[in-house]
Amino acid sequence: YVFGTPFPWHVALLGFFMFPAAVGYGILRQELFEIRMVAKSSAAYGAATLAITGLFAFLITFADALVGRFDVDARSPAISVAFLFFAILLFNPLRVRMQRLVDGFFDRDRVAYRVAVREISEAMVSMLSVKEIVDRILVAVTDTMGVEGAMVLLLDDKDEVLRPEASRGGWDEEAAGATFRSDHPLCRQLWMRRTSLSRGDFDEEGDPEIREACRDVFDTLDAELLVPILFGVDLLGVIAVGRKLSGERLGVDERQLLRTLANQSSIAIENARAFDEIAKLNETLEGRVEGRTRELRDTQAQLVQSEKMRSLGQLVAGVAHELNNPIGFVHANLQLLDEYVEKLMRPGTDAESRERIREAIAKLLTRSREGTERVKQIVEDLRTFSRTDQAELQEVCISDELDRTLVLIEPRLKDGIEVVRDYGQVPPVRCFAGQLNQVFMNLLMNACDALEGRGEIAVRTRPADGGVRVEIEDDGPGMSAEVKTRIFDPFFTTKDVGKGTGLGLSISHGIVERHGGRMWVESEPNRGTTFMIELPPEAPVEEAQ
């Protein structure tokens, strides 16, 4: 009419009808909110408004009649304003109260959903078992939301397959055993859209293969809704939800609550899997540590044995000399004994000569016995020193062990080194004597090397805290502060190349510590060196071995 078009003016009014119709179709098609719930609540609001309006009209009528009865001029503006003011004061609280009642009635289900989902979500965060989390999801969906059944499918990263983890409700065998590969079109759609999907969401899918493949999943599972369980950019699984027991469709609010539940469950599932991986790593780590510990113990035992053999190798020449002396003496005596026996058996020997021969033979036998005893003692000291036949804890006297070690290194002491023994009244200790003898041997040999053939070595024992304290002191050149701080480091040595491995003191220090004791050194340049060892009354069995 305004622009003078040839069309009738009422055609322009079609837009007023088409626009709300298009909006209504979009709301129904996209399910932007629960239409039935809105319709019911709108009807309740209309009924409540009509009741309040009728009551208000009745009150106005009653007030007019009351004014007419008492001959009051009802047309007075003051009376009308005052009446309306009191009417508003009276009916506004009633209107607010009625609105709250209607809201509470129609929103009670959604409030119950929110409370239940919140409580379940908070409980799942503290769970460390995937099975418990899945069971809690199924309980929340079936009991709280009132659906026929629910199923949780989780993605197996190893096989890249989505398979049922647990289900609740009436699911047939085909649905309970269904599996889907991670590259299935529906999995990609859930991952890309990142929202819940129903069968109708694929009606407008342009690719018929994708549309039919996705619909087949809904038909196989007989599910009304699939909700993805997403953690970051990863698809962990899917919650398949059946129809509601009431026959109604799952509304927008229920879909939102399901997505909230899926988000919370994704965090719980990821935490549970991380906990399982950490537990498996710990088990593996414990096994690897145990194996590595065994390897280190074997290597350490080999190093100890190697160092022991090296120490014994240094004594071979001296021990051989110690053995040769009594053996050579016995051998010479045997030759003399053979001559004496021949003379004794010779006919014509008088009685006096026979007596002298007998006395000479007795002396030779006595001296030969002394020589063999010396050889026996040296061999016994070597065997006792190494303790190769005794691998268990023994109660020994430390002073006796020191004496045995000194006997073995005696060839190194004859050139001009004096040994001063200062043994106190010490209690016996339970230890691995062979290992401690190696420590004493190493310290005494180092002292001999430091003295370079001339000087004094003091060996002292004292009781200390129920155990024994051993001190081995020499009056050699001593050592600097830098050397003293590194003296127990592996492979550190002050000796020339080829004269020391640098393992003796390190191994000795380890042996003492495994016996539950401690070992330290006191030394200054030109003032000698003192190594001190404190041993407990009994060595820990596992550590010492």
Side-chain angles (χ1 to χ4, degrees):
Y1 175 77
V2 173
F3 294 101
T5 60
F7 299 103
W9 63 271
H10 56 268
V11 174
L13 296 178
L14 292 177
F16 290 98
F17 299 98
M18 295 296 295
F19 178 74
V23 172
Y25 174 78
I27 292 173
L28 291 172
R29 183 69 182 82
Q30 299 298 327
E31 297 183 358
L32 299 180
F33 52 83
E34 185 59 50
I35 302 299
R36 293 183 180 181
M37 185 65 68
V38 172
K40 291 179 181 179
S41 61
S42 298
Y45 280 126
T49 302
L50 183 62
I52 294 174
T53 303
L55 182 61
F56 190 75
F58 172 77
L59 183 59
I60 292 175
T61 304
F62 177 77
D64 286 341
L66 188 64
V67 170
R69 182 181 179 89
F70 290 98
D71 297 328
V72 179
D73 187 3
R75 291 171 295 178
S76 174
I79 294 176
S80 298
V81 171
F83 178 75
L84 290 174
F85 177 74
F86 284 110
I88 292 173
L89 290 179
L90 177 64
F91 281 92
N92 189 59
L94 178 62
R95 179 190 62 80
V96 174
R97 180 62 179 170
M98 289 294 293
Q99 184 175 358
R100 289 178 178 174
L101 289 174
V102 173
D103 290 341
F105 177 79
F106 286 99
D107 196 48
R108 68 181 187 275
D109 291 338
R110 285 180 289 179
V111 172
Y113 287 165
R114 294 190 187 98
V115 172
V117 171
R118 184 177 67 251
E119 292 176 351
I120 292 171
S121 299
E122 291 175 353
M124 283 194 301
V125 172
S126 61
M127 293 180 180
L128 295 176
S129 171
V130 175
K131 185 178 184 306
E132 292 180 357
I133 296 170
V134 170
D135 291 341
R136 185 59 65 92
I137 294 173
L138 296 176
V139 171
V141 175
T142 54
D143 294 351
T144 306
M145 297 185 178
V147 298
E148 294 177 351
M151 177 185 293
V152 176
L153 300 92
L154 295 182
L155 184 64
D156 188 344
D157 294 332
K158 183 179 180 181
D159 299 333
E160 296 184 351
V161 171
L162 197 69
R163 58 167 54 93
E165 182 71 18
S167 62
R168 193 179 188 198
W171 299 92
D172 56 21
E173 294 182 359
E174 182 181 4
T179 58
F180 309 97
R181 291 192 57 82
S182 59
D183 57 356
H184 191 278
L186 181 62
C187 294
R188 292 201 299 267
Q189 292 293 322
L190 289 169
W191 178 74
M192 289 188 297
R193 299 190 187 188
R194 309 184 73 79
T195 186
S196 57
L197 297 177
S198 63
R199 197 177 191 278
D201 291 327
F202 297 95
D203 293 342
E204 298 179 0
E205 175 61 45
D207 191 335
E209 293 184 1
I210 295 178
R211 181 172 62 249
E212 292 304 321
C214 294
R215 286 179 174 177
D216 287 343
V217 175
F218 285 94
D219 295 339
T220 301
L221 297 178
D222 193 19
E224 181 177 350
L225 196 67
L226 297 179
V227 184
I229 302 175
L230 299 165
F231 185 80
V233 296
D234 298 328
L235 178 66
L236 301 182
V238 176
I239 302 175
V241 183
R243 297 173 181 82
K244 296 188 68 172
L245 295 172
S246 62
E248 299 178 353
R249 298 183 62 184
L250 293 170
V252 177
D253 292 333
E254 290 166 324
R255 287 192 176 196
Q256 181 62 39
L257 292 174
L258 282 170
R259 286 196 293 271
T260 302
L261 180 62
N263 292 336
Q264 293 294 329
S265 63
S266 67
I267 298 173
I269 290 172
E270 193 65 20
N271 290 342
R273 287 180 174 178
F275 179 80
D276 290 340
E277 290 180 1
I278 292 173
K280 291 179 181 178
L281 286 175
N282 285 337
E283 292 177 0
T284 306
L285 181 62
E286 289 177 0
R288 286 185 293 180
V289 169
E290 184 177 352
R292 185 58 177 165
T293 301
R294 286 196 299 267
E295 292 178 3
L296 290 175
R297 286 180 177 176
D298 293 341
T299 303
Q300 185 181 49
Q302 293 175 4
L303 286 173
V304 170
Q305 185 64 24
S306 176
E307 184 64 20
K308 179 186 291 186
M309 297 307 296
R310 190 189 70 85
S311 300
L312 290 175
Q314 294 178 355
L315 298 176
V316 168
V319 171
H321 179 71
E322 289 295 310
L323 289 174
N324 282 333
N325 284 340
I327 290 175
F329 179 74
V330 171
H331 181 71
N333 288 345
L334 289 175
Q335 291 180 345
L336 290 175
L337 185 62
D338 183 58
E339 294 178 2
Y340 284 138
V341 170
E342 184 180 353
K343 289 180 180 180
L344 185 63
M345 299 297 296
R346 189 178 300 166
T349 306
D350 55 17
E352 183 177 358
S353 296
R354 288 178 179 275
E355 185 64 26
R356 287 198 303 271
I357 292 173
R358 289 192 185 94
E359 290 178 359
I361 290 175
K363 290 180 181 180
L364 288 174
L365 291 175
T366 301
R367 292 176 181 176
S368 297
R369 190 179 297 109
E370 291 176 356
T372 57
E373 289 291 338
R374 175 61 177 164
V375 172
K376 180 181 177 182
Q377 184 63 42
I378 292 174
V379 174
E380 180 68 20
D381 288 340
L382 279 172
R383 188 182 66 83
T384 306
F385 173 85
S386 60
R387 291 295 201 284
T388 55
D389 58 344
Q390 297 174 3
E392 296 182 356
L393 283 172
Q394 283 187 316
E395 189 174 274
V396 298
C397 178
I398 294 298
S399 301
D400 294 341
E401 300 303 319
L402 286 167
D403 283 337
R404 289 192 179 94
T405 306
L406 287 169
V407 168
L408 291 178
I409 68 167
E410 187 174 346
R412 296 287 303 273
L413 305 175
K414 290 182 178 181
D415 295 336
I417 299 176
E418 181 182 358
V419 176
V420 178
R421 292 175 173 86
D422 183 8
Y423 297 155
Q425 294 295 326
V426 295
V429 296
R430 288 182 61 80
C431 63
F432 292 87
Q435 296 183 16
L436 290 181
N437 284 339
Q438 181 178 349
V439 175
F440 301 150
M441 169 72 75
N442 184 266
L443 295 179
L444 290 169
M445 295 288 287
N446 286 344
C448 292
D449 293 338
L451 294 177
E452 297 181 352
R454 188 168 301 275
E456 181 179 285
I457 299 175
V459 181
R460 291 183 287 269
T461 59
R462 297 287 186 274
D465 297 331
V468 177
R469 176 172 175 171
V470 179
E471 297 180 4
I472 298 177
E473 179 182 3
D474 65 71
D475 58 357
M479 62 183 71
S480 64
E482 180 182 359
V483 173
K484 187 169 64 174
T485 57
R486 300 184 58 193
I487 195 66
F488 296 116
D489 293 347
F491 304 105
F492 176 77
T493 179
T494 59
K495 299 178 181 179
D496 295 335
V497 177
K499 294 185 177 181
T501 63
L503 290 173
L505 287 176
S506 176
I507 292 175
S508 299
H509 189 270
I511 291 174
V512 173
E513 285 191 338
R514 289 194 300 276
H515 275 75
R518 63 191 188 103
M519 177 178 177
W520 71 100
V521 61
E522 293 181 358
S523 180
E524 293 182 9
N526 302 318
R527 293 192 177 182
T529 301
T530 304
F531 282 92
M532 283 165 283
I533 301 172
E534 286 188 357
L535 298 170
E538 183 169 355
V541 177
E542 295 182 358
E543 284 75 1
Q545 287 180 335

